[in-house]
Amino acid sequence: MEANEEYIRRKAYIEDQGSQRQKELSEEIWSLQEKLAKWDTMNLREVLSDLDPKMEDTFWSPELPSYEPKNYLAEIQNSKNFGLLKYLVRNGYIDENYAAYVSYFYPNSPTAQDRNFLLSITDRASLEYVYHLDQPDAVLECLEEADFFHREVRNFDLLSYLLRTKGPHLRTLLQSAATDQSAHTFFVEFWRTGRRSTRAFRFICALCQEHPEWFRIWCESKSILLEGEWRLFVLDALYFLPPERLSRINKENWLTERISDDPKFLQLDSPNVQRLIPALKALSVRFSQIDYREEDISLVREVCQENLYTLNLSMLKTAMAVIWSIPPAEVESRSYTHILRHPG
């Protein structure tokens, strides 16, 4: 009996020690992963300043690829200029974009315009979103994945290129909004300045695929879109997305309800009726009230003829006015008789 108790005690002790060690290792792994993620967003100067002396010594003695000469590293370390090199690197005078400087003398390298953009990322000095890139593909070759989490990389030409080529970095660039809300300002401006264009079409489609929840976030936020601008954003989605894909952005029927409850939604300039009506039907929109202008009558008539409204007095007046030209004041006295005479 005592032997069994001793066995149980020792077994519990060993298991407890193993569990504790596993917890310590998990915490150590998490710490290293966190530090690695942090280093991914730092430039060379920042990395060096974050290293302790022992790790910095290791930094200056890296393992070289096999194709380098055997004494290549030793010759550099024994050079009288090695101290100067360390000073220049440690203080940011030579950084990871050194190749961008020296490539000026080589053919097929990024243009001066593009190099200026690349250097702005290194220097953390944002350029305007509309800054023109001569060769977005060449710029892309010079960027690391971590660069796409920096606001300096936000550029309309670069985003247009990623949307056109469906490059893998597109997802990373979109994900940057998860950690930096200012990214939404960039994406909204990209959409706003390119409405009804091919790039806007690609952007809306990419958003539906990668972040369908953004449609609701943008429409319900008071700080992302301008007042009333949500209608234009939603309208582009209705125009650009196939009816069967609208369900991705309509979780919990929020979009159906928002459109249905908005009396001014159909006040549109030059609407594309052939695209709009199928989209409204796909969302099962039912307007409870429609405030319309003279120029909106043809669209409102289509909506009424497709029964995209709830049956109430307000909508009955609207339907009879736009379909049969019956004045609102006469609807209550004539509606039943008129509908019987004109069932179609």
Side-chain angles (χ1 to χ4, degrees):
M1 184 69 179
E2 291 180 0
N4 288 340
E5 290 179 354
E6 178 66 15
Y7 168 77
I8 293 172
R9 186 184 65 79
R10 290 186 177 185
K11 181 174 181 291
Y13 175 78
I14 293 172
E15 289 176 345
D16 183 61
Q17 289 293 101
S19 177
Q20 180 64 27
R21 181 56 179 159
Q22 185 177 16
K23 181 180 179 182
E24 291 173 356
L25 289 173
S26 296
E27 290 176 351
E28 186 176 350
I29 291 172
W30 171 255
S31 176
L32 290 172
Q33 289 176 337
E34 193 174 42
K35 181 172 288 189
L36 185 61
K38 176 184 175 184
W39 281 356
D40 276 342
T41 63
M42 297 167 67
N43 59 36
L44 192 55
R45 179 184 179 183
E46 292 169 337
V47 169
L48 280 171
S49 65
D50 198 52
L51 297 177
D52 58 47
K54 185 176 180 180
M55 291 185 68
E56 185 175 342
D57 289 340
T58 304
F59 174 86
W60 295 110
S61 301
E63 291 187 14
L64 296 180
S66 58
Y67 57 78
E68 294 290 0
K70 192 172 184 179
N71 297 325
Y72 181 73
L73 182 60
E75 290 178 2
I76 295 176
Q77 292 174 329
N78 294 329
S79 169
K80 63 179 181 180
N81 294 319
F82 187 52
L84 174 61
L85 175 63
K86 294 169 79 172
Y87 170 82
L88 293 174
V89 173
R90 190 180 290 114
N91 289 277
Y93 297 109
I94 294 179
D95 56 28
E96 60 271 29
N97 286 303
Y98 179 67
Y101 296 96
V102 299
S103 64
Y104 179 82
F105 304 100
Y106 295 91
N108 302 321
S109 60
T111 65
Q113 178 85 354
D114 293 345
R115 283 197 306 277
N116 190 45
F117 174 72
L118 291 169
L119 294 176
S120 75
I121 299 174
T122 305
D123 297 338
R124 302 290 190 268
S126 299
L127 299 174
E128 293 183 354
Y129 297 152
V130 294
Y131 182 87
H132 174 66
L133 299 180
D134 294 327
Q135 301 173 12
D137 55 335
V139 170
L140 203 58
E141 289 292 326
C142 299
L143 296 176
E144 301 289 340
E145 184 171 2
D147 291 326
F148 290 90
F149 287 93
H150 292 298
R151 62 185 60 192
E152 293 79 17
V153 83
R154 296 168 192 163
N155 175 273
F156 287 170
D157 284 349
L158 189 62
L159 178 53
S160 294
Y161 178 79
L162 289 172
L163 288 168
R164 187 169 68 253
T165 60
K166 299 181 180 180
H169 291 303
L170 174 61
R171 177 173 294 180
T172 307
L173 184 58
L174 292 172
Q175 286 176 342
S176 67
T179 55
D180 185 356
Q181 289 298 305
S182 68
H184 286 287
T185 302
F186 165 69
F187 292 122
V188 166
E189 193 63 24
F190 179 83
W191 161 77
R192 182 183 291 134
T193 56
R195 283 203 66 232
R196 304 291 182 91
S197 67
T198 303
R199 83 175 197 189
F201 163 73
R202 291 176 178 143
F203 178 69
I204 292 290
C205 292
L207 218 56
C208 178
Q209 179 65 32
E210 299 294 337
H211 292 284
E213 73 280 3
W214 282 16
F215 288 88
R216 185 172 189 174
I217 292 173
W218 286 17
C219 289
E220 294 183 350
S221 171
K222 295 182 179 179
S223 60
I224 296 179
L225 294 174
L226 302 176
E227 185 177 358
E229 198 174 30
W230 73 270
R231 296 188 186 95
L232 299 178
F233 182 56
V234 166
L235 189 64
D236 278 358
L238 300 183
Y239 284 164
F240 293 148
L241 297 176
E244 62 272 13
R245 296 190 65 189
L246 289 172
S247 60
R248 288 181 59 85
I249 65 174
N250 191 35
K251 298 297 183 183
E252 300 177 348
N253 290 321
W254 74 271
L255 184 55
T256 297
E257 294 174 4
R258 189 174 183 105
I259 295 175
S260 299
D261 294 340
D262 183 18
K264 296 183 179 180
F265 187 81
L266 297 178
Q267 293 185 9
L268 305 173
D269 297 325
S270 304
N272 188 328
V273 179
Q274 290 184 333
R275 289 188 179 182
L276 182 58
I277 295 299
L280 295 177
K281 292 173 70 174
L283 291 172
S284 300
V285 168
R286 295 292 183 270
F287 290 100
S288 56
Q289 180 181 337
I290 299 177
D291 297 341
Y292 61 93
R293 307 163 299 179
E294 186 71 25
E295 57 266 38
D296 303 322
I297 289 179
S298 60
L299 173 58
V300 176
R301 184 183 298 119
E302 288 283 343
V303 167
C304 291
Q305 289 175 338
E306 293 292 340
N307 296 317
L308 298 175
Y309 62 92
T310 58
L311 190 58
N312 57 42
L313 182 57
S314 173
M315 284 307 307
L316 185 59
K317 289 180 178 180
T318 297
M320 297 192 72
V322 299
I323 297 176
W324 295 302
S325 301
I326 296 178
E330 300 180 19
V331 168
E332 293 186 51
S333 60
R334 295 179 54 185
S335 58
Y336 182 69
T337 303
H338 196 89
I339 291 173
L340 287 178
R341 291 177 179 176
H342 303 83

